[in-house]
Amino acid sequence: MTETTWIIAGAWISAGLTIFLFSFLYKDNPFFKMAEHLYLGAGMGWWFQVYLYSIWKPKVFEPLLGGDFFVLIPALLGLSLVTQFIPKISWISRYGFTFMMGYGAGMEIPAKLSTDFMSQIAGTIMPFSLMASMSGFDILNALIVAAGTICVLFYFFFSVEHKGSVKKISNVGIYFLMIYFGAAFGNTVMARFSLLYGRFDDLNTSAAASNFYATQIILAAIAAYFLIHSFMGKKGQAEEAH
Amino acid sequence: MAKTKTLAVLIAFFLAAGAASAAPAGKTASVPAIAGFTADDMPYDAGNALLLRWPDGQYGADTVYRVFLSTAAAGGWVHADEFKAADREAKAIPLPFWAWEPLPGELAVKLEIGALVGELKSGSDVKVKAAAYRNDKLIAESLAVTAQIRGNWFRLDRLNNLILLTVIVIAFFWAVSHAKRKGLFIRRIAGLDAIDEAIGRSTEMGKPIFYVPGIGQMSTISTIASTFILGEVAKKVAAYDSQIKVPHYDPVVMTVAKEVVKQSYLEAGRPDSYREDLNFFVSHDQFSYAASVDGMISREKPAAIFFMGYFMAESLLLAEVGSTTGAIQIAGTDVEHQLPFFFTACDYTLIGEELYAAGAYLSKEPMLVSALKVQDLGKLVVMVSVAVGGVLVAVGAKMNWDNLVQVVLTLFKAY
């Protein structure tokens, strides 16, 4: 096959799989199922080779071949997890899990302490250190941030029942949260739209004459399938009614 | 006599030559030495920096200093730093007041060796010298000083973090002891009451419940919280003799979830209803996992779906499809930027810390309740510190009490 043929085949596969997955927006159908299972298999295959070539080969096989037998310790701990599949020796996996939990806790606790406590407090009170040179607006801004921090934390305070004035403070915290969530929602939606534009751009490229109108033909075929399926479904229902 | 004179001249010549060759590179006889120049290992670091110190004010404010270093590996002198005297006052060294006492009128330079000549082993010798310039003309130069870089086991500069950690650990043990003896109060969490409703609905409809633990690994806090909630949900499912399906992204999480669900069925007195395939692996690829779970949801039309754990871009893909099937959806995650999507597509959403609290609230397990109490203590510390610290810093800044401002800010310094 020539390079041009490969490019055309790629355009048909790309457009086809995109349209098959988008067809789920209408309803579940065999084309979606096919694309779904292909995606699942391709995804697994991809990660298998990533683990093989990015982890096992450079971090286990090659050091072992080079005489570094220390890598056997983490490798065996990792392999111990696989013993879960053999009930009689599944207890061995506890060593791997214990190591992971201990390692994870050791890594997380100091980092969280630093970011969730110290940085939070320091970041909130830091603007007040410029009080002598702050404008009224800057002071208001710093106060809003500090008040927002306290109110939001109050919302997540589980040791007291949220009633009366505590509930009011907590409600203010919810307003702060909702403002943040609204901004995050808009931000993420914009990012998703850029992904959608990317797909549309790809479909547009595949729709060119040089690609033998891949997008239009696949779209038309899918539409025809849904029409025929719908017609046959109605016919079947009518026959059942008789 | 003449022989003796000649010998003395020769000896004097060789001594002079030896002294000249021992002098640092680039030094000329007419340039005075920078007095008091010292180099030591940078304290409380991983062993990749030196601390250089010398008295300021020897050559005027417009002096520019250049620092050079030399290692056995690098050879020759490497230009390491250049600065004006005012830019390297000792008080600018990034160490807190309990770990560093800057002397007035002293210059101090933290020299990161790794960035200049690559990583060196602990104990390596590094030769350094400083030169003073005015109008790009050398006016003084220090003698070359050798210092060893060493990693430190104890980070005194992080003492505030250690104290906080110690307080938290002590509070945790106290809370565990108290929770076991008397129990601890946790306020009602809206959204968790809906769990019974969701399981009851699925039992009445004879449809399965999907419990989606997200794409986090077992070390992710939200995934750990999710497994606790899964345990309680599975217990209720077993008690109602309903069905639960748990599709997994991570094989390790699946292994843990299997044990959790199995234990829940045992505790509910229904070990006969437990099947190994209640937890099943789908894919370790984010979007193929989402596509596959979407397909299952749309085909099996579950009565209730739980999204509890760590979610990223697949959150809306999953929740939207669940919503179109008419299932009751209860979600919970600590990934803030995914929460809006759960708000829009789910019936109930646990926000951030509520997810952590949910496991404790449902199980009343003393360890979990204690952990929640300690988290509350932490929040209280933050709230009080922000309020009191903010006032102190504001007053200090307004009244020009710089020491007070610095002490308060340093106390809350993160690393």
Side-chain angles (χ1 to χ4, degrees):
Chain A
M1 285 172 80
T2 62
E3 194 182 343
T4 315
T5 319
W6 278 115
I7 290 169
I8 295 168
W12 276 79
I13 292 168
S14 157
L17 290 176
T18 305
I19 293 167
F20 290 171
L21 284 171
F22 277 160
S23 70
F24 186 71
L25 292 171
Y26 178 61
K27 65 177 181 183
D28 195 16
N29 62 77
F31 299 106
F32 171 75
K33 281 181 193 166
M34 192 192 81
E36 175 197 327
H37 289 108
L38 188 66
Y39 198 3
L40 197 64
M44 283 304 298
W46 166 256
W47 282 109
F48 180 77
Q49 67 82 27
V50 167
Y51 288 133
L52 191 65
Y53 289 106
S54 305
I55 297 172
W56 275 99
K57 191 169 173 275
K59 292 184 178 168
V60 181
F61 293 143
E62 285 173 358
L64 277 178
L65 288 174
D68 181 6
F69 294 103
F70 280 110
V71 294
L72 277 175
I73 298 169
L76 288 174
L77 280 171
L79 282 173
S80 75
L81 306 186
V82 184
T83 59
Q84 272 287 321
F85 296 112
I86 311 161
K88 276 188 179 176
I89 55 164
S90 62
W91 56 271
I92 297 174
S93 65
R94 286 180 201 154
Y95 289 98
F97 282 123
T98 310
F99 184 82
M100 283 168 66
M101 297 302 280
Y103 171 80
M107 287 283 287
E108 283 282 322
I109 291 172
K112 286 279 173 189
L113 202 65
S114 186
T115 56
D116 290 6
F117 278 81
M118 297 301 196
S119 296
Q120 186 73 52
I121 300 168
T124 312
I125 63 175
M126 183 70 83
F128 293 111
S129 65
L130 305 170
M131 185 62 102
S133 59
M134 283 165 92
S135 68
F137 180 77
D138 291 337
I139 294 170
L140 180 68
N141 192 36
L143 283 173
I144 288 173
V145 171
T149 306
I150 292 171
C151 292
V152 168
L153 282 172
F154 231 101
Y155 174 76
F156 292 109
F157 200 72
F158 299 103
S159 294
V160 291
E161 198 66 73
H162 285 191
K163 285 178 185 168
S165 55
V166 173
K167 189 172 175 58
K168 283 176 187 163
I169 297 172
S170 159
N171 282 345
V172 175
I174 295 175
Y175 285 117
F176 274 99
L177 282 174
M178 290 304 153
I179 290 167
Y180 167 75
F181 290 142
F185 186 84
N187 186 36
T188 314
V189 166
M190 290 302 285
R192 300 290 165 82
F193 265 101
S194 78
L195 294 175
L196 187 67
Y197 299 152
R199 285 295 82 214
F200 282 162
D201 184 49
D202 197 49
L203 286 177
N204 186 43
T205 308
S206 302
S210 58
N211 288 320
F212 296 101
Y213 307 105
T215 304
Q216 295 91 322
I217 293 171
I218 293 168
L219 262 178
I222 288 265
Y225 164 80
F226 280 128
L227 272 172
I228 293 166
H229 192 262
S230 168
F231 175 72
M232 287 177 73
K234 278 181 186 168
K235 198 178 168 186
Q237 281 172 4
E239 279 171 5
E240 276 177 22
H242 280 292
Chain B
M1 191 70 189
K3 272 185 182 176
T4 314
K5 269 187 178 178
T6 311
L7 193 64
V9 169
L10 276 172
I11 289 168
F13 175 76
F14 283 121
L15 282 174
S21 66
K27 183 159 177 158
T28 56
S30 60
V31 176
I34 296 175
F37 178 80
T38 61
D40 294 295
D41 172 50
M42 180 75 197
Y44 323 124
D45 74 339
N48 52 13
L50 284 180
L51 180 64
L52 316 181
R53 303 168 80 166
W54 67 94
D56 187 17
Q58 297 182 48
Y59 310 106
D62 58 342
T63 309
V64 172
Y65 286 99
R66 289 178 193 162
V67 175
F68 302 89
L69 72 87
S70 174
T71 62
W77 289 103
V78 176
H79 182 223
D81 202 357
E82 184 170 335
F83 49 87
K84 282 187 177 171
D87 297 340
R88 292 291 191 281
E89 287 180 22
K91 64 182 180 185
I93 289 291
L95 285 172
F97 62 85
W98 59 84
W100 169 248
E101 194 179 348
L103 298 175
E106 187 184 48
L107 296 178
V109 180
K110 182 186 176 187
L111 207 58
E112 298 278 0
I113 309 292
L116 297 161
V117 291
E119 293 299 322
L120 295 179
K121 281 186 181 173
S122 186
S124 301
D125 284 336
V126 180
K127 207 180 267 186
V128 284
K129 67 174 181 177
Y133 290 82
R134 189 179 298 131
N135 299 325
D136 220 21
K137 190 182 168 192
L138 182 70
I139 54 169
E141 189 175 43
S142 73
L143 291 173
V145 178
T146 303
Q148 280 188 336
I149 53 165
R150 289 195 183 280
N152 301 99
W153 283 97
F154 189 74
R155 298 287 303 255
L156 185 65
D157 54 331
R158 297 184 181 181
L159 187 67
N160 57 342
N161 286 245
L162 178 67
I163 290 170
L164 183 59
L165 181 66
T166 311
V167 168
I168 287 171
V169 170
I170 292 169
F172 179 73
F173 283 118
W174 175 84
V176 171
S177 147
H178 198 274
K180 281 182 180 167
R181 283 184 286 117
K182 296 179 182 173
L184 292 166
F185 170 77
I186 301 176
R187 74 166 168 84
R188 195 181 69 82
I189 299 168
L192 289 184
D193 298 339
I195 289 178
D196 280 331
E197 184 192 340
I199 298 170
R201 184 172 183 259
S202 77
T203 312
E204 282 170 13
M205 293 172 75
K207 286 185 173 181
I209 292 165
F210 266 67
Y211 190 98
V212 185
I215 60 164
Q217 296 183 334
M218 207 53 242
S219 53
T220 315
I221 296 173
S222 48
T223 310
I224 296 170
S226 176
T227 53
F228 285 122
I229 299 168
L230 171 64
E232 295 306 311
V233 170
K235 214 180 281 179
K236 286 185 172 135
V237 167
Y240 293 161
D241 202 18
S242 193
Q243 314 161 49
I244 187 168
K245 290 191 172 186
V246 193
H248 285 281
Y249 164 88
D250 189 284
V252 178
V253 176
M254 184 180 77
T255 313
V256 174
K258 268 187 175 178
E259 291 297 320
V260 167
V261 174
K262 196 176 192 176
Q263 185 63 29
S264 298
Y265 272 71
L266 274 172
E267 285 176 18
R270 298 302 306 271
D272 52 310
S273 300
Y274 175 75
R275 294 196 323 272
E276 279 293 317
D277 62 353
L278 295 180
N279 288 272
F280 54 96
F281 181 72
V282 178
S283 170
H284 200 54
D285 180 69
Q286 183 189 9
F287 289 108
S288 33
Y289 172 76
S292 187
V293 174
D294 275 350
M296 289 176 216
I297 290 171
S298 73
R299 277 159 222 144
E300 298 190 30
K301 303 215 169 356
I305 306 172
F306 292 87
F307 299 108
M308 298 280 180
Y310 184 83
F311 291 87
M312 288 301 285
E314 74 288 348
S315 62
L316 186 61
L317 296 175
L318 294 167
E320 185 61 30
V321 171
S323 176
T324 58
T325 62
I328 285 190
Q329 298 200 109
I330 304 171
T333 186
D334 57 356
V335 185
E336 315 92 68
H337 53 278
Q338 298 303 328
L339 276 166
F341 299 111
F342 282 140
F343 284 137
T344 52
C346 295
D347 299 284
Y348 301 95
T349 306
L350 301 177
I351 309 167
E353 195 113 347
E354 285 182 330
L355 176 69
Y356 311 154
Y361 180 81
L362 290 169
S363 67
K364 309 288 182 214
E365 175 69 33
M367 287 292 278
L368 294 180
V369 175
S370 309
L372 190 64
K373 281 286 165 185
V374 175
Q375 285 174 35
D376 271 2
L377 172 74
K379 280 171 243 170
L380 195 64
V381 168
V382 175
M383 285 189 281
V384 172
S385 302
V386 166
V388 177
V391 170
L392 286 176
V393 169
V395 170
K398 195 74 183 166
M399 307 296 286
N400 288 325
W401 295 338
D402 287 347
N403 286 342
L404 174 69
V405 173
Q406 285 311 315
V407 166
V408 175
L409 290 179
T410 312
L411 278 177
F412 299 116
K413 191 172 181 182
Y415 296 95

